[in-house]
Amino acid sequence: MAPVTAAGDPSTPPPGEEMYALVERLYPLCRSITGDGVRATLDIIGEYIPLQVREVPTGTRVLDWTVPQEWNIRDAYIADSAGNRVVDFAASSLHVLGYSVPVSRTMPLAELRAHLHTLPDHPSWVPYRTSYYKPEWGFCLSQETLDAMPDGDYEVCVDSTLADGHLTYAEHVVPGQVSDEVIVSCHVCHPSLANDNLAGIAVATFLARALAERTPHYTYRFLFAPGTIGAITWLARNAERVDRVRHGLVLACAGDPGRLTYKRSRRGDAEIDRVMRHVLAASERPHQVTEFTPYGYDERQFCSPGFDLGVGSLSRTPYAGYPEYHTSADNLDFVSPEAMADTLAVCREAFAVLDRNRRYVNLSPYGEPQLGRRGLYDALGGRSDTKQAQMAMLWVLSLSDGEHSLLDVAERSGLPFETVAAAADALHGAALIKA
């Protein structure tokens, strides 16, 4: 495990630079929903945080799905009559249709075209395409490359295997003071796509490290799993304990230059929805909050009606919301240390609120208790926000009826959550309120 260096140490790279370095390491690997690329990815993440790696055999029934065969690939290319590789998997894992079945043939370009995928509107980009559940083979290439290919015969090779094996995912748990859990989920199935979703992996990894620096209130469970089938598999294997999951966040597209976007849970008013809305608004960052739709990332699995978990999704520009999405232009130049650091900061701010958001009961509810003789006013002396802190105490006392949370207090009073939480700590210490 990589050493965790002290904050403020001048020899320590800023977290954004460390996350970018992790993205750089992961970028060349060929990932899919199964296979050695996923394992290699988890091995690297495991250098930063300890992981529990799970292997689920092919054919295992998981809810309405079945774990597919494992796909691995060693080489793939299209070569012209002179033996020159016109398209080469070694240059980019995007060049092969994901889950391509093996093929070794020579065929004319006219026949080959049916197996080629390009982006005519962006002729220099290579698209990302997959065929997970339908046996097929194919190549992805730039339109410029295809336009430069003369008619004639081409050697086509996909050196891959589809065989019984396993679906691989991993978990990392940050123990909390209670067994109630917060899930943080990200995809590990996309190949050389920096924003979608290597930036999400990097933010999740460094968020886990940050939470481990203290003992949080909740237990935080990080899931590194392939999209859709990975979340479905986890839910199937943990159906008896999902009632522990109180909140959750899916991280995706976390490193692009766009504004932050939070997508609400299916419930729409889950606590994580309110916390994220509050934190984003209070931070005055450019952002948007969108309603839930049953399409997107794995929030739709966690929010499916049978589970209906309070899980939202945080990204910068949402999926399919930028031209580079699922193309070779989603590369290392498209993401930045600054954007990933900003996403990480918002996550930390949100979880700090989530961890401290309690409901209290006023133990002296008949009239206003005398704060001065308990030293609570004196404790505020000299603070630059003394009046604000006093108001926070009065608001907490007023709304500590077992029904209102500290977030309710902050929103109704217009006071910063941190000020409200500090007031609650002081009142709790003076035995004026109880959780």
Side-chain angles (χ1 to χ4, degrees), residues 64-221:
D64 194 46
W65 296 57
T66 302
V67 173
Q69 289 189 309
E70 183 175 323
W71 183 68
N72 285 293
I73 184 167
R74 288 160 292 278
D75 194 13
Y77 60 86
I78 300 172
D80 62 20
S81 58
N84 301 308
R85 293 193 176 192
V86 180
V87 178
D88 192 353
F89 168 76
S92 171
S93 58
L94 295 181
H95 276 311
V96 174
L97 179 75
Y99 254 62
S100 280
V101 298
V103 62
S104 179
R105 295 173 57 188
T106 298
M107 64 181 67
L109 180 59
E111 181 182 352
L112 178 58
R113 282 181 180 274
H115 299 274
L116 302 182
H117 304 271
T118 66
L119 293 168
D121 291 342
H122 296 282
S124 64
W125 296 357
V126 177
Y128 165 54
R129 299 288 184 267
T130 62
S131 185
Y132 296 140
Y133 303 106
K134 178 183 178 183
E136 184 59 270
W137 65 267
F139 289 85
C140 299
L141 65 161
S142 72
Q143 185 66 44
E144 291 176 345
T145 298
L146 178 57
D147 291 344
M149 293 171 61
D151 289 335
D153 289 343
Y154 289 85
E155 180 188 357
V156 177
C157 173
V158 177
D159 183 10
S160 65
T161 54
L162 270 168
D164 288 353
H166 297 82
L167 179 145
T168 309
Y169 69 92
E171 299 176 84
H172 170 81
V173 176
V174 180
Q177 299 169 35
V178 298
S179 60
D180 290 346
E181 292 187 359
V182 179
I183 283 182
V184 181
S185 174
C186 62
H187 287 173
V188 294
C189 55
H190 288 169
S192 297
L193 301 173
N195 195 44
D196 180 29
N197 194 30
L198 295 179
I201 292 172
V203 170
T205 300
F206 280 79
L207 178 59
R209 282 176 46 161
L211 289 170
E213 294 172 0
R214 58 182 177 86
T215 302
H217 175 72
Y218 291 108
T219 293
Y220 286 81
R221 184 176 300 274

Side-chain angles (χ1 to χ4, degrees), residues 196 253 295 297 317-323 325:
D196 180 29
C253 303
Y295 185 74
Y297 287 96
T317 307
Y319 62 89
Y322 52 97
Y325 179 77

